Amino acid sequence: MRIAAVAEAFRRLREANPHPTTELEYASPFQLLVAVVLSAQATDKGVNIATRKLFALAPTPEAMADLGEAAIAEQIKTIGLFRNKAKNTALLSRQLLERHAGEVPNDRAALEALPGVGRKTANVVLNTIFGEPTMAVDTHIFRLANRTGLAPGKDVLEVEKRLLRRIPKEYLRDAHHWLILHGRYVCVARKPKCGECIIRDLCLFKDKTGTGP
C-alpha cells in the first residue's frame, strides 16, 4: 500500500471513529496494566467479566498484593492460563509497591521488567495511559498489516516498526486502537467482511469477499 493510501486509510478510520479506545474495562493505570496482562490468549470480553470481580476486591496494587496469588486465581479462573497470570499479577503488584511507590511507570524498560509484561503490554500502557505514539501489534494488527499491504512483516516487531514509519504522525496516537478494532470486527481471520470495509478500495488483499466500494 502506497504512503498516500495509508494516510487515506487512517483519515477514514478517524472519521468513522474519532475517539477510539481499548475495550478493556479499567479505572486506573494499575487496573489497565493488570487487564492487559490477563488478556494474553483471552478475549477482552472474557477479561472484563473476570476483572469486574477482581477489581471490586482489589482495586489497587496494595489490595492486590494483600489478596494474594491463590485468591487472584480464584477470581480469574474463567480465563486461559489463569494460574500463571495470577502469579504474575501478585508479583507485579508487589514490585510496583517496592520499586515504583505503587505507581505504573511511564518507562518501557521499567514496564517490561515487571512479571508478565512484554513489549506488547508495555506498548498498550504507554499508548493508552501516557499518550505515547506506540504500536502494540497483536494477532489482529499483524494479520491486517500483512493482508492489506499496510505494513507487511515476517514478525510482530517488524510490523510494529514499519507501522510506526508509515503511519502519518497525526494518526499515530490512536492508530493502535483503530487497527485492533478493524481487525477484530471487520478484517477478521477466516472470512474478512470486505463488503463492510471502509478501506476496501485501498486494500491490496487479492481475495476480497462480498461487494463494496
Side-chain angles (χ1 to χ4, degrees):
M1 192 182 293
R2 295 180 181 275
I3 293 298
V6 173
E8 174 60 16
F10 281 98
R11 186 196 67 76
R12 295 179 191 179
L13 291 168
R14 181 173 66 182
E15 183 176 53
N17 184 6
H19 305 291
T21 189
T22 179
E23 293 186 317
L24 291 169
E25 297 173 0
Y26 67 98
S28 69
F30 168 70
Q31 291 182 15
L32 177 67
L33 174 62
V34 170
V36 180
V37 168
L38 298 182
S39 71
Q41 298 183 43
T43 65
D44 286 3
K45 181 179 179 180
V47 170
N48 288 337
I49 292 171
T51 55
R52 285 169 199 155
K53 298 182 294 181
L54 178 64
F55 294 155
L57 291 174
T60 65
E62 294 89 344
M64 194 71 75
D66 289 343
L67 187 61
E69 181 181 336
I72 295 170
E74 181 63 24
Q75 297 303 315
I76 66 169
K77 63 184 179 182
T78 54
I79 62 176
L81 308 174
F82 73 93
R83 290 186 179 86
N84 191 54
K85 291 175 180 179
K87 178 181 179 180
N88 285 333
T89 299
L91 287 173
L92 75 82
S93 298
R94 287 197 287 271
Q95 286 194 18
L96 286 175
L97 293 169
E98 294 167 0
R99 302 178 185 180
H100 305 288
E103 300 294 325
V104 174
N106 183 6
D107 178 81
R108 177 183 299 282
L111 284 168
E112 292 186 21
L114 295 169
V117 178
R119 184 178 183 87
K120 185 181 75 173
T121 297
N123 277 336
V124 173
V125 172
L126 290 170
N127 177 264
T128 305
I129 296 300
F130 299 108
E132 295 193 14
T134 57
M135 182 61 60
V137 179
D138 67 352
T139 55
H140 297 298
I141 293 181
F142 183 77
R143 176 182 65 252
L144 187 155
N146 278 284
R147 178 186 278 167
T148 64
L150 181 63
K154 64 181 183 296
D155 55 43
V156 293
L157 184 57
E158 184 175 358
V159 168
E160 176 188 331
K161 290 180 177 179
R162 286 188 174 179
L163 284 170
L164 291 174
R165 287 198 305 267
R166 305 195 85 222
I167 298 171
K169 289 184 179 180
E170 65 179 296
Y171 302 116
L172 273 177
R173 172 65 178 82
D174 293 318
H176 153 249
H177 296 300
W178 284 317
L179 293 179
I180 283 181
L181 293 170
H182 197 69
R184 183 174 291 165
Y185 296 112
V186 181
C187 197
V188 296
R190 293 188 178 182
K191 294 183 179 179
K193 301 174 184 178
C194 302
E196 302 174 19
C197 181
I198 61 174
I199 62 171
R200 175 189 174 102
D201 57 313
L202 305 172
C203 172
L204 301 182
F205 184 47
K206 294 180 180 179
D207 299 318
K208 292 186 177 71
T209 62
T211 59

